[in-house]
Amino acid sequence: MFRPGGDRPAEGPRPVAADTPEALRNAAPGAGLPDGPFADPARVQACLIAAGAADPDAPLLATRPYPVAGQPGVLLVLGTAELGRLRLLVVPPDCGPGTGRVLLEGSAP
C-alpha cells in the first residue's frame, strides 16, 4: 500500500529494471514527500502544463528519482478523483515553467 512519507530509499538515481507500467507501479511505494524544486506546488503545476499532462491541478503526493532510458527523471505520484487510484508520471528533473515533457506515465490501482 502506498503511504506518502513512508520509508524512503537512499537518495540519488536508482537503476530501473524496465520502462513499463508495472515497473512504474512498483516504484511508487518507495516515493517520499515532495522535496527540492518539486515541493513548490506552482512549479509542479507549471511543469505539468508545459508537459501537456492531463489535470495539471492534480495534487502531488510524493516524488522520487526515477531514471528512464539512462536519463535522469523524477517520478511524480499524483492524486486522482477516483478513490485509491494514483497517476504516475516521470518528468525531467528540470521540468518547470516553459519546459516539460512526460518521459513515462502510468497509474496504480
Side-chain angles (χ1 to χ4, degrees):
M1 172 112 196
F2 172 75
R3 294 177 310 151
D7 293 335
R8 190 164 190 166
E11 292 298 315
R14 307 182 103 206
V16 175
D19 298 343
T20 65
E22 184 175 314
L24 195 56
R25 280 191 300 276
N26 290 338
L33 294 176
D35 60 0
F38 292 98
D40 177 3
R43 179 183 173 136
V44 173
Q45 183 180 40
C47 166
L48 296 175
I49 290 170
D55 194 11
D57 295 322
L60 178 62
L61 304 175
T63 64
R64 77 172 281 186
Y66 193 94
V68 174
Q71 298 298 312
V74 177
L75 170 63
L76 306 179
V77 179
L78 303 165
T80 69
E82 187 178 334
L83 184 62
R85 189 131 186 98
L86 302 171
R87 280 184 57 222
L88 309 171
L89 298 176
V90 179
V91 298
D94 64 348
C95 191
T99 179
R101 61 191 165 102
V102 174
L103 303 174
L104 189 63
E105 65 182 296
S107 62

